[in-house]
């Protein structure tokens, strides 16, 4: 391992030490991928006695994920990416009717800042951790949205970014990364190959690879998705939440976030039932839940839902446990179903999501068909990415717009044909 030279050590911000989720071994704040004792995953080690704000104090703060900073892994004031989070929660009565439940809301991270996906949350956290640790270079292994986010957040923080993606990603994800001027590298292989490469690079270079050796800090950003749902519902909890799964981190952290707010008395009741969805062409976590097996069986992805196509999910076991513990379940949907899901969401709510959001909506319909919801359920659907990044997913499915001369009579013909 190379030693890390502190370059821009932040005086105002410190990251918390780390604790192993499996064996409890603690280590000082540092870039580290896994526990040195047992290879388990690392979490920030929060001081249980730290002061925490009440509802009113939180509500008086700026509308970003930093309004929950006492539940994020820092001491002091983060300076970077202050505009991320606090995305809209919008009610969707038409979807409530479709799912035959009491109420439905869309948590709309397709407009998260600055790069239009939920990955802005985890990267806002990681980029502040990188700065606090004195790292001048960040990186990631990405299925697309993480590449967009790391490139964008690094650009404005003045950090160098090394970004590794599968060579055949959607053009919107490539351009949406390259535009920020990172060192972008396309790797011949699947995401799982890219991730393995990045694990090796983290040992070789003094880089903060956000989802490898900053993962313990990075993942905490996902909890703010749960915090915002609770606050935006008027400090209460829905009965069910449906989220797409890639590595399984978001789903795992939803449980952690809801339970922290319950434990700290900000909301009452019990953790919502958590439902995870994947595309059939890459559903290792769904397979785990449905089969009741003890371990993930990795798959080779084959789906248009590229942003969640992780064949060997790092947090798969924890996600499966979260679904089981909360009384939830998992469903997989076909590519045709997810395309229909994207269209249904757009036509009923005016929100254009990418393939992962299509998996959420189609997955919710599948869960409803399987009798997983009751008529008084209050369901939040997690929409995690923006449709303009994956237009190729739906372009073939939409009717072609007619081309006419600029003449009223040509419009009149169309109006007649359409029946009004
Ligand atoms: C990364 C991602 C997810 C979920 O990722 P996890 O690895 O399971 O946390 C969901 N939706 C989109 C659009 C993503 O990019
Ligand atoms: Zn350990």
């Amino acid at each position: 391992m190379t030693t890390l030279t502190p370059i821009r050590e932040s005086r105002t911000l410190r990251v918390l030490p780390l604790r192993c989720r499996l064996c409890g071994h603690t280590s000082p704040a540092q870039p580290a991928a896994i526990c040195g004792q047992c290879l388990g995953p690392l979490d920030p080690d929060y001081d249980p006695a730290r002061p925490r704000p009440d509802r009113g104090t939180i509500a008086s703060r700026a509308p970003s994920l930093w309004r929950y900073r006492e539940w994020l892994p820092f001491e002091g004031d983060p300076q970077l990416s202050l505009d991320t989070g606090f995305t809209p929660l919008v009610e969707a009565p038409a979807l409530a009717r479709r799912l035959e439940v009491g109420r439905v809301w869309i948590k709309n991270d397709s407009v998260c800042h600055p790069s239009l996906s939920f990955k802005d949350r985890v990267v806002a956290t990681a980029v502040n951790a990188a700065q606090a640790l004195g790292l001048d270079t960040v990186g990631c292994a990405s299925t697309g949205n993480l590449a967009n986010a790391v490139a964008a957040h690094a650009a404005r923080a003045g950090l160098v970014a090394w970004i590794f993606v599968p060579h055949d990603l959607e053009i919107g994800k490539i351009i949406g990364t390259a535009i920020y001027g990172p060192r972008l590298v396309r790797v011949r292989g699947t995401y799982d190959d890219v991730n393995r490469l990045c694990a090796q690079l983290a040992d070789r270079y003094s880089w903060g690879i956000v989802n490898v050796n900053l993962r313990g800090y990075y993942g905490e950003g996902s909890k703010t998705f749960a915090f915002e749902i609770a606050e935006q519902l008027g400090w209460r909890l829905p009965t069910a939440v449906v989220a797409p799964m890639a590595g399984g981190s978001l789903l795992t952290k939803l449980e952690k976030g809801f339970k922290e707010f319950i434990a700290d008395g900000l909301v009452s009741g019990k953790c919502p039932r958590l439902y995870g969805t994947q595309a059939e062409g890459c559903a290792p976590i769904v397979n785990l839940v449905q089969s009741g097996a003890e371990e993930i069986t990795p798959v080779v992805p084959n789906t248009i839902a590229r942003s969640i196509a992780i064949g060997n999910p790092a947090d798969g076991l924890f996600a499966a446990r979260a679904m089981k513990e909360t009384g939830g379940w998992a469903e997989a949907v076909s590519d045709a179903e997810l395309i229909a899901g994207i269209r249904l969401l757009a036509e009923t709510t005016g929100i254009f999501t990418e393939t992962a959001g299509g998996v959420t909506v189609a997955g919710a319909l599948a869960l409803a068909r399987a009798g997983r919801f009751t008529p008084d359920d209050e369901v939040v659907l997690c929409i995690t990415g923006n449709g303009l990044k994956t237009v190729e997913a739906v372009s073939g499915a939409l009717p072609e717009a007619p081309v006419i001369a600029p003449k009223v009579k040509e419009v009149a013909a169309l109006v007649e044909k359409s029946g009004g």
Side-chain angles (χ1 to χ4, degrees):
M1 267 218 190
T2 38
T3 46
L4 298 164
T5 336
I7 295 160
R8 311 157 23 116
E9 192 98 45
S10 165
R11 267 165 301 147
T12 51
L13 187 65
R14 289 192 301 137
V15 271
L16 299 184
L18 295 164
R19 172 187 287 273
C20 174
R21 201 181 299 168
L22 301 185
C23 78
H25 179 76
T26 56
S27 50
Q30 60 183 308
I34 46 175
C35 171
Q37 304 290 306
C38 79
L39 313 183
L42 300 170
D43 290 317
D45 193 16
Y46 292 90
D47 176 1
R50 71 194 185 284
R52 265 150 284 185
D54 59 14
R55 294 174 177 183
T57 305
I58 294 171
S60 71
R61 292 176 173 172
S64 81
L65 58 77
W66 299 111
R67 69 210 264 118
Y68 313 109
R69 58 180 169 267
E70 287 82 359
W71 292 270
L72 294 172
F74 302 100
E75 272 169 17
D77 289 321
Q79 304 293 332
L80 302 172
S81 299
L82 299 182
D83 61 343
T84 299
F86 220 69
T87 56
L89 182 78
V90 292
E91 188 154 12
L95 290 179
R97 287 191 292 277
R98 281 293 289 266
L99 297 176
E100 297 181 30
V101 298
R103 297 175 78 176
V104 168
W105 293 265
I106 305 300
K107 178 61 174 162
N108 184 13
D109 260 20
S110 75
V111 293
C112 205
H113 283 175
S115 74
L116 307 180
S117 87
F118 122 86
K119 292 299 197 303
D120 285 318
R121 297 177 184 276
V122 283
V123 176
T125 313
V127 84
N128 279 287
Q131 194 192 44
L133 292 166
L135 303 170
D136 68 351
T137 302
V138 291
C140 66
S142 173
T143 56
N145 284 312
L146 185 59
N148 296 173
V150 170
H153 290 251
R156 58 186 186 174
L159 300 169
V160 176
W162 277 94
I163 291 176
F164 298 87
V165 295
H167 66 105
D168 56 350
L169 275 194
E170 302 99 329
I171 185 76
K173 297 279 169 67
I174 297 288
I175 299 294
T177 303
I179 191 67
Y180 303 107
R183 290 149 170 76
L184 172 61
V185 184
R186 296 161 64 197
V187 179
R188 276 187 298 276
T190 64
Y191 170 81
D192 297 283
D193 298 316
V194 178
N195 191 48
R196 230 177 345 262
L197 172 65
C198 284
Q200 295 171 298
L201 296 176
D203 285 341
R204 185 179 175 109
Y205 297 104
S206 312
W207 297 348
I209 303 188
V210 300
N211 54 341
V212 179
N213 59 357
L214 295 180
R215 192 175 182 85
Y217 301 116
Y218 155 102
E220 292 293 282
S222 293
K223 293 189 307 188
T224 61
F225 206 102
F227 297 157
E228 290 176 20
I229 290 171
E231 182 179 354
Q232 290 171 319
L233 282 177
W235 299 107
R236 59 192 197 91
L237 298 172
T239 58
V241 176
V242 184
M245 302 183 292
S249 174
L250 170 61
L251 197 119
T252 307
K253 297 292 181 164
L254 284 171
E255 182 187 34
K256 191 175 184 202
F258 286 128
K259 289 194 168 167
E260 285 180 355
F261 264 21
I262 295 168
D264 288 335
L266 288 163
V267 287
S268 54
K270 59 180 186 169
C271 184
R273 301 182 335 263
L274 298 179
Y275 294 95
T277 58
Q278 298 193 290
E280 280 170 2
C282 184
I285 310 178
V286 175
N287 295 342
L288 183 68
V289 169
Q290 295 191 347
S291 70
E294 301 276 300
E295 272 179 57
I296 288 277
T297 305
V299 302
V300 178
N302 178 21
T303 169
I304 62 167
R306 302 297 307 267
S307 59
I308 52 170
I310 295 185
N312 191 9
D315 288 304
L317 273 175
F318 296 106
R321 195 175 299 163
M323 289 180 264
K324 200 170 163 190
E325 278 175 7
T326 59
W329 189 243
E331 279 290 350
V333 298
S334 68
D335 284 0
E337 287 175 295
L338 81 84
I339 290 168
I342 295 173
R343 297 183 67 182
L344 177 65
L345 183 71
E347 291 172 8
T348 54
T349 69
I351 293 168
F352 182 18
T353 187
E354 66 145 77
T355 48
V359 170
T360 303
V361 176
L365 291 172
L367 289 161
R369 279 196 304 274
R372 295 275 162 187
F373 300 133
T374 63
D376 50 2
D377 260 330
E378 299 194 325
V379 184
V380 171
L381 305 182
C382 301
I383 297 302
T384 48
N386 194 294
L388 291 173
K389 295 187 190 185
T390 61
V391 287
E392 55 276 82
V394 288
S395 57
L398 304 176
E400 213 175 313
V403 179
I404 61 164
K407 296 213 161 69
V408 170
K409 89 174 188 308
E410 296 214 13
V411 178
L414 292 175
V415 171
E416 186 140 333
K417 212 166 94 190
S418 77

